[in-house]
């Protein structure tokens, strides 16, 4: 199927920016708010159907009072950018990375448990890297204050 570029004028007439803004107000975390505001307008049937399927799966989980444990995520983009420049991270920055890894593991486990209700979303969650040993090492070596534990030396 051929792709086509939707003109900005058309998006405005469809009130796409307003839809994204309304969606962003439903997000629980700052990264979710930002992500909602940056969602692309889908213009291929397959992509639209895939997204609608995932949305319906999450709605079904919500109807059953089940929610993904993804609300406690630190924004580590600036940390990653500094790492690209060979920066040394503070203890608190390392703990932020560990929390993100642990949250990813919880999300992957949650959707694995609920694969029958949300197979499409579970397939996406399964792609989250398995970095738990790294998060455990960080947590074992660094105090919640960011200081190095005595046992880490």
């Amino acid at each position: 199927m051929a792709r086509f570029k939707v003109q900005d004028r058309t998006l405005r007439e469809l009130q796409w920016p307003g839809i994204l803004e309304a969606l962003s107000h439903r997000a629980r975390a700052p990264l979710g708010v930002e992500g909602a505001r940056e969602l692309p307008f889908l213009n291929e049937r397959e992509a639209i159907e895939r997204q609608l399927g995932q949305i319906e799966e999450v709605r079904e989980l919500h109807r059953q009072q089940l929610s993904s444990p993804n609300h406690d995520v630190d924004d580590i983009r600036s940390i990653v950018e500094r790492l690209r420049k060979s920066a040394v991270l503070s203890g608190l920055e390392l703990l932020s990375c560990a929390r993100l890894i642990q949250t990813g593991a919880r999300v992957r486990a949650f959707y694995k448990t609920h694969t029958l209700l949300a197979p499409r979303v579970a397939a996406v969650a399964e792609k989250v890297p398995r970095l738990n040993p790294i998060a455990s090492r960080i947590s074992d070596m660094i105090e919640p204050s960011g200081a190095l534990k005595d046992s880490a030396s």
Side-chain angles (χ1 to χ4, degrees):
M1 178 169 273
R3 293 187 97 195
F4 61 92
K5 167 83 168 102
V6 178
Q7 300 296 319
D8 289 339
R9 179 176 175 221
T10 303
L11 292 175
R12 284 191 305 276
E13 288 176 7
L14 291 172
Q15 299 181 1
W16 184 247
I19 292 169
L20 295 180
E21 188 61 28
L23 181 61
S24 75
H25 289 294
R26 293 181 169 267
R28 292 186 288 181
L31 285 174
V33 171
E34 187 176 325
R37 288 181 178 146
E38 295 175 359
L39 285 172
F41 183 84
L42 301 177
N43 58 9
E44 292 181 339
R45 182 182 182 123
E46 183 179 301
I48 293 166
E49 288 175 349
R50 183 175 50 251
Q51 287 293 310
L52 288 174
Q54 290 175 351
I55 291 166
E56 184 51 38
E57 290 175 1
V58 172
R59 291 181 75 204
E60 179 59 30
L61 290 168
H62 183 72
R63 281 190 288 273
Q64 297 198 24
Q65 298 182 350
L66 300 166
S67 63
S68 174
N70 63 347
H71 53 278
D72 187 28
V73 179
D74 294 338
D75 183 351
I76 66 164
R77 290 178 293 184
S78 63
I79 295 171
V80 171
E81 193 58 39
R82 287 185 40 241
L83 281 174
R84 287 189 177 117
K85 298 174 185 173
S86 301
V88 175
L89 300 184
S90 70
L92 289 175
E93 290 171 323
L94 287 168
L95 287 174
S96 288
C97 294
R99 279 192 299 276
L100 178 63
I101 292 168
Q102 292 161 343
T103 299
R106 285 192 302 274
V107 168
R108 189 178 52 252
F110 171 83
Y111 283 107
K112 184 172 183 160
T113 301
H114 301 292
T115 299
L116 291 177
L117 289 174
R120 293 177 188 98
V121 181
V124 173
E126 185 59 32
K127 296 176 185 175
V128 173
R130 289 171 166 71
L131 302 173
N132 301 27
I134 295 170
S136 294
R137 293 274 310 211
I138 291 169
S139 297
D140 289 346
M141 293 191 203
I142 300 178
E143 299 282 353
S145 66
L148 192 64
K149 290 182 179 179
D150 292 333
S151 60
S153 55

